[in-house]
Amino acid sequence: MATQKHINPFLKQALELGPTLVFFVLYLRIKDDVFVWGGTEYSGFIVAAVVFVPILLIAMGLLWALTGQLSRMQVFTAFMVIFFGGLTAWFNDERFFKMKTTIVYGFLAAILAIGLARGRSWLEFVMADVMPMRHEGWMILTRRLTLAFVILACANEFVWRTMSTDAWVKIETFAFPVALMGFLFWQFAALQSYVIEEDGTGRDSADG
């Protein structure tokens, strides 16, 4: 197993979030343009989506070279971007790239739900070392996050099917990530009583 290397957190964030921001900026610059290749016309959105693929792969390659590892989620996301970016270009249909977000959120909800059905929290399995918390807390968080992913998947379907491409790009780039981040901060604050202190007790036990 590769040993994780520590890098500047700002550089790490830039490599993780940079490709999406580049896609957003590129889309804004070429959204009204039409590109012809091989006798076929491609919209600015499709060109931006296709260009996003190598940019993401380069960023992930740098992240792997600098940290020595990639998370399963990062690998899965890269696969989805490559797959749906390819379908978008092949069929010249932007709907494939828009559906990617629904499938990613739906997949995450399904994985967490499978764990819950088995009485387990996959979040606890991957995050317990970062944030020690009692099993009950992890189960609560997992149930709530599963529902959140389902809501985000449904929201993405609603947005791309009923709103403009401009609206979808902005909501996909900013609204969904901010909503998810805000939800997680809210949940971590609400579940503080389940956090395990250094003495091995929960905060509620320590206060009592």
Side-chain angles (χ1 to χ4, degrees):
M1 180 178 293
T3 301
Q4 183 176 7
K5 308 169 188 175
H6 296 285
I7 64 171
N8 186 294
F10 293 105
L11 175 59
K12 186 172 184 292
Q13 285 294 306
L15 291 173
E16 292 176 341
L17 304 178
T20 300
L21 295 178
V22 170
F23 164 76
F24 177 74
V25 172
L26 178 61
Y27 166 76
L28 291 181
R29 292 182 63 89
I30 66 174
K31 65 178 181 176
D32 297 322
D33 297 333
V34 176
F35 300 84
V36 180
W37 186 77
T40 302
E41 293 185 349
Y42 296 93
S43 68
F45 176 87
I46 289 180
V47 172
V50 172
V51 171
F52 174 65
V53 175
I55 292 175
L56 178 66
L57 293 179
I58 291 171
M60 289 188 62
L62 291 172
L63 193 60
W64 178 77
L66 293 171
T67 65
Q69 69 174 21
L70 293 172
S71 70
R72 292 184 178 91
M73 187 61 215
Q74 288 171 321
V75 174
F76 171 71
T77 300
F79 171 78
M80 297 297 287
V81 168
I82 294 170
F83 181 72
F84 284 96
L87 290 178
T88 298
W90 182 262
F91 291 102
N92 197 15
D93 190 337
E94 64 185 33
R95 291 177 297 178
F96 288 105
F97 199 74
K98 293 176 180 178
M99 285 189 290
K100 164 187 62 65
T101 301
T102 301
I103 294 174
V104 169
Y105 285 136
F107 175 81
L108 292 174
I111 290 295
L112 294 181
I114 290 172
L116 289 172
R118 301 176 64 182
R120 299 178 179 179
S121 167
W122 301 131
L123 288 178
E124 181 179 10
F125 177 72
V126 300
M127 296 179 61
D129 290 340
V130 178
M131 183 178 177
M133 185 163 61
R134 298 208 308 272
H135 178 70
E136 301 94 317
W138 284 114
M139 293 298 287
I140 293 171
L141 178 59
T142 302
R143 286 193 292 268
R144 293 176 180 177
L145 190 57
T146 300
L147 178 59
F149 282 139
V150 170
I151 292 173
L152 287 172
C154 293
N156 185 68
E157 283 296 294
F158 174 80
V159 170
W160 82 260
R161 291 179 184 275
T162 64
M163 299 184 186
S164 67
T165 295
D166 263 8
W168 180 84
V169 170
K170 293 172 183 175
I171 292 172
E172 157 74 6
T173 304
F174 300 106
F176 287 159
V178 169
L180 182 58
M181 191 64 65
F183 173 80
L184 289 174
F185 277 124
W186 172 37
Q187 291 305 308
F188 286 137
L191 296 172
Q192 282 300 302
S193 62
Y194 293 94
V195 173
I196 299 173
E197 299 288 359
E198 293 183 1
D199 60 1
T201 63
R203 292 191 176 182
D204 53 348
S205 299
D207 294 340

